[in-house]
């Protein structure tokens, strides 16, 4: 073999070995980069999932706060409406208490209380605001009345001490019972 042939062969052999080592280095880098990419991809997915969960939590909190704020506003509006209606009701009751119908109602209440007591011993009280009606009511019913020290808005109360009974035809108790039963109709889920 000649020197040129030896040099060519040596050159081919060196080139082949260099290519082989180069290919091995490229393959090793490729594997390392693929591994880094997979790790980065996994971390990015975890971060994205965490961010989505955080955003969902934030949205839920914002929605909860908005719901609370809306509920509070509705309660305020309801309270204002109830106050307005209560004032209107008391105004209507005051107007009604100036009519003859109210006096007739008091006479009925007194007669009911007397009938309930079987004409036994009893004390019938009228509201302090009805003191001006006392003489008329006594004349109409033939029963002696007392003026209550407690304001029960209107109506009458009778005490039957023998039987330990309070006959309550007072507006205060009736209004409180109606107030407890009162609900606003309409809106969602009202069924009306």
């Amino acid at each position: 073999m000649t020197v040129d042939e030896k040099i060519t062969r040596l050159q081919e052999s060196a080139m082949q070995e260099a290519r082989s080592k180069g290919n091995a280095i490229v393959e090793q880098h490729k594997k390392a980069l693929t591994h880094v990419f997979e790790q980065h991809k996994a971390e990015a997915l975890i971060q994205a999932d965490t961010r989505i969960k955080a955003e969902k939590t934030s949205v839920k909190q914002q929605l909860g706060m908005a719901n609370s704020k809306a509920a509070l506003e509705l309660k305020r509006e309801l309270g204002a409406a109830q106050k307005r209606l209560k004032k209107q009701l008391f105004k209507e009751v005051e107007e009604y208490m100036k009519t003859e119908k109210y006096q007739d109602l008091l006479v009925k209440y007194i007669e009911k209380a007397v009938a309930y007591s079987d004409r036994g011993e009893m004390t019938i009280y009228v509201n302090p605001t009805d003191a001006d009606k006392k003489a008329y009511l006594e004349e109409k019913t033939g029963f002696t009345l007392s003026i209550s020290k407690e304001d029960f808005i209107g109506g009458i109360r009778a005490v039957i001490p023998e039987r330990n009974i309070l006959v309550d035809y007072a507006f205060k108790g009736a209004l409180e019972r109606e107030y407890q039963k009162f609900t606003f109709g309409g809106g969602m889920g009202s069924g009306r």
Side-chain angles (χ1 to χ4, degrees), residues 60-70:
K60 282 181 184 177
Q61 287 174 343
Q62 288 174 2
L63 185 59
M65 287 172 53
N67 282 340
S68 294
K69 189 175 179 181

Side-chain angles (χ1 to χ4, degrees), residues 58-147:
S58 174
V59 167
K60 282 181 184 177
Q61 287 174 343
Q62 288 174 2
L63 185 59
M65 287 172 53
N67 282 340
S68 294
K69 189 175 179 181
L72 187 62
E73 185 61 31
L74 283 174
K75 282 183 182 179
R76 281 191 197 123
E77 289 176 19
L78 177 65
Q82 284 178 332
K83 281 182 184 177
R84 199 172 50 254
L85 289 173
K86 194 174 183 179
K87 274 186 177 180
Q88 184 180 347
L89 175 64
F90 277 99
K91 189 175 181 180
E92 287 178 20
V93 168
E94 284 175 8
E95 292 299 316
Y96 173 72
M97 290 172 70
K98 296 175 185 174
T99 67
E100 281 186 37
K101 285 183 177 182
Y102 175 63
Q103 287 182 352
D104 294 340
L105 180 67
L106 290 177
V107 169
K108 262 196 233 176
Y109 284 165
I110 293 167
E111 290 171 349
K112 279 181 163 182
V114 170
Y116 186 78
S117 72
D118 293 328
R119 296 222 171 254
E121 186 183 325
M122 74 182 303
T123 306
I124 298 178
Y125 295 97
V126 292
N127 199 55
T129 57
D130 294 330
D132 61 328
K133 299 171 184 66
K134 181 179 182 263
Y136 169 81
L137 295 171
E138 288 177 338
E139 181 185 320
K140 198 77 168 158
T141 62
F143 202 84
T144 305
L145 305 174
S146 299
I147 306 293

Side-chain angles (χ1 to χ4, degrees), residues 11-28:
Q11 191 179 18
E12 283 176 7
S13 175
M15 288 298 284
Q16 190 176 5
E17 191 177 328
R19 274 191 213 109
S20 176
K21 283 182 180 180
N23 286 341
I25 291 171
V26 167
E27 192 61 35
Q28 187 179 5

